[in-house]
Every structure is written in C-alpha cells, then in structure tokens.
C-alpha cells in the first residue's frame, strides 16, 4: 500500500507541470507518456488477489492530470488494442509492435498529426528467451515477431555509448543504456517539419524498432536520449518544437531529477 503514495503521485504531477511550464517558456510543447505495466493492463490474468490495484502509479497520476494534456494516458488505447492483438510479449516486460503503435497513434492524435501506417514493414522472428522467460529455470522460450520500422529515416549521429553498445556491449552481453543518444533525420517530402526531442527507455529504444523509430518516420528531425530525467541544457541547445518524455510504470517509484546532462560525443 505504501509503494506509491498520494504524495508520490502529487510529486509526479508537480514535476510534469513544472517541466511543461519550463519547456513552454522555451517555445516548445511538452508531453509525457507512461507505459503501464502488464499488471496494470491485464490484471485478469493474475490468479491472486490484488488488494492495492487502485494504487498503481498510472492511475493515480492520471487522476491528477486527466485528459490529453501534459500527461498522455495510453492505458485505454492499449486495453482496446489488446482485445484484438497481443500488445505485450507473453514472456517479456516489453510491448509488441502493435502495443507500441497503439501508443504512437494516441501521441499523434494529441499532437494533431497523421500517424504513419507500418503494416507493410518487413518482420522477422526468432525463438528465444526474453527478459522474463529468461529468469526461469529452465528458461521459457517465445518466438516474438519484430517489425523493421525504419524505412524513410536515417541515423545521422550517435554518441560513444551507442557505439560501445553496437561494437562491444551487445556482442559481449554487457550493454549500457542510460545516456545513449541518437539523431535521426527524415527527408521524405511528407515528413512533419517539427524537431522532436524524445527522452525514454527501452520502450522507445535507440535502435530503430520501437517508439523512437515510429516518431523518426513521422518527423523530419528527431533526437533521442535514453533517460527518465530531462536534459535542459540539450533542450536549450537543440530548441525543438516538441519535447516528449516516456517512462515505464515500474520505474515510477523513483522521481526523476532533471539535472541530467547527456554526452553527444
């Protein structure tokens, strides 16, 4: 019952509104999106009592910041999509392409832009142990289907942490994520002209497969930073028209402190 208190919820609401006011003073629009945990999305699959289900962070913060203002509530969109197609992998804590696209469409609706259709993109599948199935003995395997989102956009810059991950971290099984930075550009004639700065985590990804890639396919200029905290030095340097932050619900027990500064080198 004390995992996420009313005070915690108010602190999050205060953080988001403070961010909004500070970013609007710089001439940009700010939106925040929390990706709900599978427990919040599909409690009907839990066979044990959930006596504190109403204390889930997404619900409490949405009750303080309702509607499609600074806090974009994607839970209804995911629940609607889940009636027709899996929105999370069964043995993983992350969403599928369909789940990501449901959230992307909600963001596009709030931003007033036409979402891209990724249904014609190539897919690949590989039988493997994902992040939850791999914790069990023996591992529980799954064959996830991944969609290759990137087609019109291209990466024009990345920092040293991304290069480390691609050259050493992933091959050796020791990647580092917080602080990764990539810059994407999209020269297609119908790309939206705004510059977007996205702060997120593994639901956004610096690899072109999730929310970052979908937004890069939509906007002409997109910067992504793997961080739950905002880098206001970077915001002032880039001067984007849109700033978006994304966080997984399970990380909301720690309130971000916006003193983070990412290295672009």
């Amino acid at each position: 019952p004390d995992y996420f208190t009313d005070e915690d919820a108010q602190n999050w609401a205060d953080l988001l509104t403070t961010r909004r006011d500070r970013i609007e003073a710089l001439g940009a629009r700010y939106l925040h999106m929390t990706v709900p945990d599978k427990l919040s999305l599909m409690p009907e699959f839990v066979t044990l009592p959930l006596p504190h289900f109403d204390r889930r962070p997404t619900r409490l913060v949405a009750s303080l910041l309702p509607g499609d203002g600074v806090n974009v509530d994607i839970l209804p969109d995911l629940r609607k999509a889940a009636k027709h197609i899996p929105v999370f992998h069964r043995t993983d804590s992350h969403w599928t392409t369909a789940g990501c696209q449901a959230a992307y469409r909600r963001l596009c609706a709030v931003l007033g832009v036409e979402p891209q259709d990724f249904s014609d993109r190539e897919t690949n599948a590989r039988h493997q142990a994902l992040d939850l199935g791999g914790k069990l003995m023996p591992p529980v395997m799954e064959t996830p289907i991944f969609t290759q989102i990137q087609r019109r956009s291209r990466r024009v810059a990345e920092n040293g942490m991304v290069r480390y991950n691609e050259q050493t971290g992933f091959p050796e099984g020791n990647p580092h994520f917080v602080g990764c930075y990539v810059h994407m550009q999209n020269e297609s004639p119908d790309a939206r002209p705004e510059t977007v700065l996205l702060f997120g985590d593994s639901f956004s990804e610096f690899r072109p497969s999730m929310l970052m890639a979908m937004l890069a396919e939509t906007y002409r200029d997109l910067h992504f930073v793997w961080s739950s905290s905002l880098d206001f030095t970077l915001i002032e340097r880039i001067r984007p028209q849109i700033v978006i932050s994304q966080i997984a619900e399970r990380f909301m027990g720690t309130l971000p402190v916006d003193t983070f500064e990412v290295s672009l080198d």
Side-chain angles (χ1 to χ4, degrees), residues 2-257:
D2 297 327
Y3 168 70
F4 201 79
T5 65
D6 290 341
E7 182 180 3
D8 292 327
Q10 188 61 57
N11 287 340
W12 266 98
D14 292 344
L15 173 69
L16 298 184
T17 53
T18 298
R19 285 176 171 179
R20 178 199 61 200
D21 295 344
R22 189 173 175 184
I23 289 169
E24 285 182 352
L26 295 172
R29 184 177 182 184
Y30 172 62
L31 295 174
H32 174 79
M33 182 179 73
T34 300
V35 181
D37 293 340
K38 292 165 80 172
L39 186 65
S40 296
L41 179 65
M42 297 174 284
E44 64 271 19
F45 289 101
V46 181
T47 58
L48 300 174
L50 297 173
H52 309 296
F53 185 65
D54 285 347
R55 304 296 312 168
R56 61 193 187 278
T58 47
R59 177 185 176 276
L60 294 181
V61 174
S63 69
L64 296 173
L65 297 172
D68 282 331
V70 62
N71 182 54
V72 180
D73 184 6
I74 61 171
L75 184 59
D77 301 86
L78 289 171
R79 281 183 173 159
K80 181 178 179 181
K83 295 178 181 178
H84 308 286
I85 191 170
V87 296
F88 273 78
H89 298 292
R90 292 178 64 86
T91 61
D92 197 89
S93 61
H94 295 89
W95 54 19
T96 62
T97 299
C100 185
Q101 191 159 8
Y104 160 78
R105 288 182 179 132
R106 168 53 51 192
L107 270 179
C108 287
V110 174
L111 289 166
V113 304
E114 185 70 23
Q116 296 292 314
D117 180 10
F118 306 113
S119 61
D120 62 343
R121 299 298 202 265
E122 293 184 6
T123 61
N124 59 68
R126 181 167 64 90
H127 198 57
Q128 59 187 294
L130 299 175
D131 73 350
L132 297 179
K135 297 181 185 298
L136 303 176
M137 291 299 293
V140 176
M141 308 290 281
E142 185 175 353
T143 308
I145 298 174
F146 297 103
T147 302
Q148 304 302 310
I149 299 296
Q150 185 179 10
R151 176 181 293 171
R152 312 187 316 165
S153 58
R154 62 189 180 93
R155 194 170 82 187
V156 296
E158 73 286 320
N159 67 358
M161 186 172 291
V162 172
R163 292 190 292 272
Y164 159 79
N165 284 329
E166 293 177 341
Q167 297 166 12
T168 305
F170 288 128
E172 296 184 359
N174 188 35
H176 302 301
F177 296 119
V178 176
C180 286
Y181 164 82
V182 294
H183 180 194
M184 306 289 291
Q185 287 186 343
N186 182 347
E187 299 298 334
S188 81
D190 59 342
R192 293 285 306 184
E194 296 91 349
T195 295
V196 177
L197 177 49
L198 170 66
F199 294 89
D201 52 33
S202 53
F203 289 82
S204 291
E205 261 289 0
F206 65 84
R207 292 165 289 186
S209 59
M210 287 297 169
L211 183 62
M212 184 280 291
M214 292 183 183
L215 290 172
E217 291 289 290
T218 309
Y219 287 90
R220 185 153 299 153
D221 205 39
L222 182 132
H223 301 258
F224 169 71
V225 178
W226 195 310
S227 172
S228 60
S229 300
L230 303 194
D231 181 343
F232 276 92
T233 301
L234 183 64
I235 295 172
E236 293 175 0
R237 174 178 174 178
I238 294 175
R239 290 285 177 166
Q241 286 75 51
I242 301 167
V243 178
I244 300 170
S245 59
Q246 171 272 308
I247 190 172
E249 185 177 24
R250 63 181 177 273
F251 298 138
M252 289 182 68
T254 301
L255 188 72
V257 179

